[in-house]
Amino acid sequence: MANDSSAVLDAISPDSIADPFTPPADSSLWQKNFLLGAATASYQIEGAVREDGRLPSIWDTFSATPGKVLAGDTGEVACDHYHRWESDVDLLAGLGLEAYRLSTAWPRVMDEAGVPNRKGLDFYKRLLTRLKEKGITTMVTLYHWDLPQHLEDRGGWLNRDTAYRFAEYADLMSRELTGLVDAWATLNEPWCSAYLGYGNGHHAPGRANGRYATQAMHHLLLAHGLAVPILRANDPDSQKGIVANVGRGTANSDSAADQRAAHLFEVQHNAWILDPLLKGAYPQDLFELWPHTEPLVLEGDMETIAAPLDFLGINYYFRTNVESDGAHGFTEAPPEGVERTQMGWEVHPDGLRDLLIGFHGTYANLPPIYITENGMASDDKVTDGKVDDSQRISFLKRHLAAVDQAIKAGVKIRGYFLWSLMDNFEWAFGYERRFGIVHVDYGTQKRTIKRSAELVTKFLKERKARG
Ligand code: FCB
């Protein structure tokens, strides 16, 4: 490990920190093969959007459209990671994190005709080579929402052809980066791409139509299914999977109507993605919730989508309490007096445990799981060079305990990635919402390690010392 990284570790003396984080002695998190890492995504951290031949993405277009992103923020500079990647890797290694989940930007690595962009590819080669040298396990997400704008101009995920273009992109990346990646995740959160991007328009490309959402989802999942065998052929030694955001829906009462509402919430958030991937079929209840929205599915598509996975990535943030809307759907019934984060999301670690145990019961072929994102936003401030993010420390501890409970109930969970390594561009919320365990001053790009990061480091150091 380079000197500068060890300096970070040494500065964090276990004795000097009162510790509200370290898991109890019987926690599975002490097992060394349970990976603990952090996650980021290209558009949220890289900046340099016009450099080295990068083409515009749908998020460049969306964030430049007035009224779409809070305070008019864009990813133009973000955390300037494209230029600061070396010191950011040192920071990650210095924190003792064992794994890093990052994403590659499609518009950086290919032009409109599919011709590789060497400079963009070299950036990821350098980055992944350095991570490997540092002994950090890598998970690379191929699509964390930055679709090339020229593909959106031809219909984006509503155009079946985009799935085939994605397969070409996956082919290029897995040929170029073979041997440097431990795990490939095809897509991040297809629910957000399909529903927020094409269903309600809160995310890029900002289109809003219920039928669009189900068709976009089908093409996203098809893209995933087409890519998996390509990744296997080009890079046989790595794991292949996908990352899904999942939502816990609880019923506001015992009434049959509210119970049904909670069921439909989870169908819309979870089964819509997991059923096609793991059962090869869309849940029919979805089309009761959203009548007349069945996507156009061609022969063989569902088999392609259900290609066997080596892992399933699960992103979890909060639960939603719902009641019947009096018709065929659900409506939110937010509870009073519960703990919430800066996003307004309810802190509910049991939801993570219950979902994991539920999936284990529902899907006979559930692959091993990584928690690929979990974390929270708070209005963190630097005071005397320190950031005391005590709500985050408690949040992480409780969610890791929920993961431990799920493991003890028999769910195979291989690791956990905090969202996020550092504060970054939080999509429609811009830079106001801080999810990092490292604080970023966007004026100076100074990184300040928050107390949560110190405590994660302390735990990892202790775990390592136990051998
Ligand atoms: C997830 C996204 C991630 C981040 C977190 C807070 O939905 O995958 O990029 O924005 O939410």
Side-chain angles (χ1 to χ4, degrees), residues 30-351:
W30 285 102
Q31 285 164 19
K32 274 186 75 181
N33 57 2
F34 183 89
L35 274 185
L36 203 56
T40 62
S42 47
Y43 191 72
Q44 294 180 277
I45 65 166
E46 285 179 358
V49 293
R50 279 179 281 278
E51 224 161 297
D52 292 339
R54 180 187 176 281
L55 301 177
S57 80
I58 54 173
W59 271 95
D60 295 295
T61 312
F62 189 74
S63 60
T65 310
K68 298 295 185 191
V69 174
L70 205 66
D73 289 341
T74 75
E76 210 166 325
V77 178
C79 306
D80 197 30
H81 174 74
Y82 193 73
H83 299 117
R84 293 167 197 266
W85 65 273
E86 284 181 274
S87 49
D88 285 339
V89 171
D90 284 343
L91 178 68
L92 184 72
L95 290 172
L97 292 167
E98 298 161 338
Y100 181 46
R101 172 174 175 243
L102 64 136
S103 78
T104 52
W106 189 350
R108 254 190 219 295
V109 296
M110 294 178 109
D111 74 5
E112 294 198 20
V115 177
N117 174 7
R118 213 23 69 196
K119 286 184 175 168
L121 287 166
D122 284 349
F123 169 69
Y124 294 113
K125 271 190 191 167
R126 286 194 300 272
L127 175 61
L128 287 158
T129 303
R130 183 65 61 86
L131 287 161
K132 201 178 169 81
E133 284 164 10
K134 298 274 186 189
I136 294 170
T137 299
T138 51
M139 180 183 288
V140 171
T141 308
L142 286 165
Y143 185 70
H144 202 126
W145 307 352
D146 37 6
L147 185 73
Q149 180 61 43
H150 63 86
L151 291 179
E152 179 56 33
D153 295 342
R154 285 188 268 150
W157 290 110
L158 297 177
N159 183 349
R160 187 176 168 95
D161 188 56
T162 300
Y164 296 93
R165 300 287 78 79
F166 179 80
E168 287 169 13
Y169 162 57
D171 181 40
L172 173 70
M173 299 312 273
S174 52
R175 277 188 285 111
E176 291 285 336
L177 302 178
T178 185
L180 293 174
V181 176
D182 294 294
W184 292 97
T186 51
L187 308 177
N188 177 67
E189 302 190 351
W191 186 91
C192 291
S193 300
Y195 186 72
L196 303 180
Y198 293 86
N200 71 11
H202 291 181
H203 276 187
R207 305 182 71 173
N209 180 312
R211 289 200 66 159
Y212 288 176
T214 53
Q215 192 63 58
M217 176 66 86
H218 185 65
H219 292 151
L220 280 151
L221 294 177
L222 180 65
H224 155 82
L226 292 169
V228 169
I230 294 171
L231 297 171
R232 284 200 195 287
N234 290 346
D235 193 11
D237 295 335
S238 59
Q239 295 180 50
K240 286 90 195 163
I242 184 169
V243 169
N245 55 308
V246 294
R248 177 69 173 138
T250 53
N252 202 36
S253 80
D254 289 340
S255 75
D258 285 357
Q259 298 290 325
R260 173 88 185 142
H263 166 75
L264 287 174
F265 176 92
E266 292 199 357
V267 165
Q268 199 247 95
H269 284 79
N270 309 334
W272 183 17
I273 299 96
L274 299 183
D275 276 15
L277 290 170
L278 300 172
K279 291 184 174 172
Y282 287 104
Q284 285 311 304
D285 285 354
L286 184 70
F287 308 114
E288 183 179 319
L289 183 66
W290 293 334
H292 315 299
T293 63
E294 285 89 341
L296 180 65
V297 175
L298 301 192
E299 205 183 326
D301 284 1
M302 298 316 290
E303 290 74 21
T304 302
I305 289 170
L309 301 171
D310 301 327
F311 72 91
L312 175 68
I314 291 289
N315 294 353
Y316 173 81
Y317 287 96
F318 57 91
R319 77 135 174 190
T320 308
N321 194 51
V322 297
E323 61 191 8
S324 164
D325 65 357
H328 296 296
F330 57 82
T331 177
E332 289 191 28
E336 300 275 327
V338 295
E339 181 185 349
R340 294 183 184 277
T341 70
Q342 191 194 15
M343 297 294 283
W345 296 346
E346 183 186 347
V347 178
H348 195 76
D350 288 358

